[in-house]
Amino acid sequence: MTPEPPREYVAFVAKHLRQLRHDAELLAGDEYEAHELYSQALTDIAIRWPWFVVLRRLNRPDAADEYLHETLIRRSARREAEQADFVEVEVEVWFSGDPRATHPAPVAAPTRSSATARTLPMASFGIEIGPVTEAAVAWWHARVAYYHARLGATTAAVTLALAIVLPFLQRH
C-alpha cells in the first residue's frame, strides 16, 4: 500500500462522507460512537480498495458503494452486540463519617472507547474534519492493518517451514 491514499479513494470519501456521517449517527445514536463507526467503515473500504479498482474495471463500479453500506451495518451490529455484553453498575459514594464506609465501595466497570473518540473533542474544536483528512486517517489505519497481516502471514510461513524442515534436519 502506498503511504498516501489514491485520488480515487479521496474522491470516494468526499462523495460519501456527508451521508456516511448521517447514517452512522442514526445507527450509533451518539456523535462520538458515530465517528468511530464511520471511521472503521472507511478503513474497511481502504483495506479492500485495490479490489474495488479491479471490480470497477470489470464493469462493477458500484461495488465499493455497496460494500460501504454493508460494512457500516455490520460494524453497527457488532458494536451493539459488544455493548449488550456490558452490565451497568450502580456506584454509591460513601463519606468517611458514614457507618457504611467500613465496606469497600463498588467499582464501576471501565468504559470502552477508542483513542480517536476520546481525543476528538480536543482535536476538532468544533471544526468539521474534511474528506481529505478522513481519507488519510482511514488509509493510514488500513496500511497499518495491511502490514500487520503481512507480518502475521510471514511469521506463519516461517513457522510452518521450520516445522517441516526441522524433523528432517534432526534425522541426519
Side-chain angles (χ1 to χ4, degrees):
M1 288 187 79
T2 60
E4 294 182 16
R7 286 189 308 255
E8 297 83 16
Y9 177 72
V10 175
F12 174 85
V13 172
K15 175 183 172 186
H16 294 284
L17 187 58
R18 184 173 304 271
Q19 185 64 42
L20 182 61
R21 284 177 173 161
H22 176 73
D23 293 347
E25 197 159 333
L26 288 176
L27 289 168
D30 176 320
E31 180 183 346
Y32 301 113
E33 292 288 330
H35 174 74
E36 185 174 345
L37 187 62
Y38 79 75
S39 293
Q40 291 171 346
L42 289 174
T43 301
D44 288 349
I45 293 291
I47 288 170
R48 291 158 183 82
W49 191 252
W51 288 107
F52 294 131
V53 170
V54 170
L55 289 173
R56 233 183 3 257
R57 291 180 183 153
L58 297 174
N59 290 332
R60 295 246 356 251
D62 297 334
D65 300 347
E66 294 166 6
Y67 187 77
L68 179 62
H69 179 71
E70 289 172 18
T71 192
L72 187 66
I73 299 295
R74 186 183 70 246
R75 285 202 172 268
S76 174
R78 185 181 306 153
R79 185 186 64 79
E80 287 177 12
E82 287 173 357
Q83 287 181 346
D85 292 341
F86 288 109
V87 177
E88 242 181 79
V89 177
E90 187 175 317
V91 177
E92 190 175 326
V93 178
W94 296 342
F95 296 99
S96 61
D98 195 331
R100 297 175 295 176
T102 57
H103 302 290
V107 178
T111 304
R112 292 180 59 180
S113 67
S114 72
T116 304
R118 288 191 304 271
T119 59
L120 183 64
M122 293 180 280
S124 69
F125 300 107
I127 299 170
E128 187 171 318
I129 298 172
V132 174
T133 305
E134 291 287 0
V137 170
W139 193 262
W140 178 257
H141 286 291
R143 185 179 158 129
V144 169
Y146 171 78
Y147 283 115
H148 284 198
R150 278 187 55 190
L151 178 63
T154 302
T155 303
V158 168
T159 303
L160 181 62
L162 287 174
I164 292 171
V165 171
L166 282 177
F168 289 113
L169 293 176
Q170 289 176 350
R171 289 183 194 166
H172 298 299

